[in-house]
C-alpha cells in the first residue's frame, strides 16, 4: 500500500504531540478541516488540471491534480475528502498519493483559509507543520529530510 498523508488541524493534543518532536507550534491558532470547495480552490495550481469526482457510494469525494504536460510522468496528487456531505462542510482530508511538489503548494494555499495544520504520513514519520510562516522551500526541505 502506498504511503498517504493525512491533514490534521491543530488542537491542544496535536500541539502537545508536536512538542514530542521539538516542533514549535504557533502560540495562538484557529484550525479546522477544509471544505471540498476550499480544497478544490487550493488545488488549482498553474500548469495543472484538477478533476473532482464523487461522491462515491462510501461517501468519499476525490480530486486528482495532474500536470497538463505529460501527466503520466510529471508530479501529481490524489486527494480524498471523507465523509462528503456537501461542498461547504469541512471534513477529513487525506493526500492518498502524490508528489510533494504538488501536495505542498496545495497545503500552503489551504493554510491561510483553515489555519495551521500538520501533514502526517501513514508511515509514522515526523509530522510536518504547515503554519503562516511556512515556505515551500522550508516544507520541501523537511519533507525530503524525513524520507
Amino acid at each position: 500500500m502506498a504511503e498517504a498523508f493525512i491533514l490534521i488541524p491543530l488542537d491542544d493534543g496535536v500541539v502537545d504531540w508536536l512538542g514530542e518532536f521539538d516542533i514549535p507550534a504557533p502560540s495562538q491558532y484557529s484550525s479546522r478541516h477544509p471544505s471540498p470547495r476550499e480544497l478544490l480552490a487550493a488545488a488549482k495550481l498553474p500548469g495543472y488540471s484538477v478533476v473532482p469526482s464523487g461522491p462515491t457510494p462510501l461517501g468519499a469525494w476525490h480530486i486528482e491534480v495532474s500536470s497538463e504536460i505529460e501527466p503520466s510522468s510529471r508530479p501529481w496528487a490524489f486527494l480524498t475528502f471523507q465523509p462528503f456531505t456537501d461542498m461547504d462542510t469541512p471534513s477529513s482530508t487525506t493526500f492518498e498519493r502524490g508528489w510533494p511538489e504538488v501536495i505542498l503548494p496545495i497545503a500552503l494555499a489551504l493554510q491561510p483559509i483553515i489555519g495551521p495544520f500538520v501533514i502526517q504520513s501513514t508511515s509514522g514519520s515526523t509530522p510536518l507543520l504547515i503554519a503562516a510562516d511556512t515556505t515551500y522551500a522550508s516544507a520541501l526541505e523537511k519533507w525530503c529530510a524525513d524520507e
Side-chain angles (χ1 to χ4, degrees):
M1 184 173 167
E3 185 173 25
F5 300 91
I6 303 164
L7 186 153
I8 306 171
L10 289 191
D11 62 20
D12 292 342
V14 173
V15 169
D16 290 345
W17 175 60
L18 289 173
E20 295 175 19
F21 293 92
D22 294 323
I23 299 172
S27 59
Q28 295 182 349
Y29 55 86
S30 176
S31 186
R32 62 174 175 81
H33 286 286
S35 71
R37 189 176 315 280
E38 292 165 335
L39 194 57
L40 192 58
K44 292 183 178 178
L45 305 175
Y48 287 83
S49 64
V50 177
V51 180
S53 62
T56 67
L58 297 176
W61 187 77
H62 304 286
I63 299 174
E64 184 173 348
V65 182
S66 56
S67 174
E68 292 174 346
I69 302 169
E70 299 179 44
S72 63
S73 62
R74 302 290 252 195
W76 55 272
F78 186 80
L79 295 77
T80 297
F81 182 90
Q82 190 170 11
F84 175 85
T85 53
D86 61 58
M87 290 300 288
D88 297 309
T89 301
S91 194
S92 297
T93 301
T94 302
F95 296 89
E96 294 287 341
R97 300 177 292 283
W99 297 36
E101 292 87 342
V102 180
I103 294 171
L104 292 175
I106 295 169
L108 291 168
L110 280 173
Q111 192 285 323
I113 299 165
I114 67 169
F117 58 89
V118 168
I119 296 176
Q120 177 60 45
S121 75
T122 55
S123 71
S125 61
T126 305
L128 176 62
L129 175 65
I130 304 295
D133 61 349
T134 304
T135 65
Y136 175 80
S138 68
L140 185 61
E141 180 180 345
K142 290 173 185 167
W143 184 297
C144 292
D146 207 40
E147 289 185 339

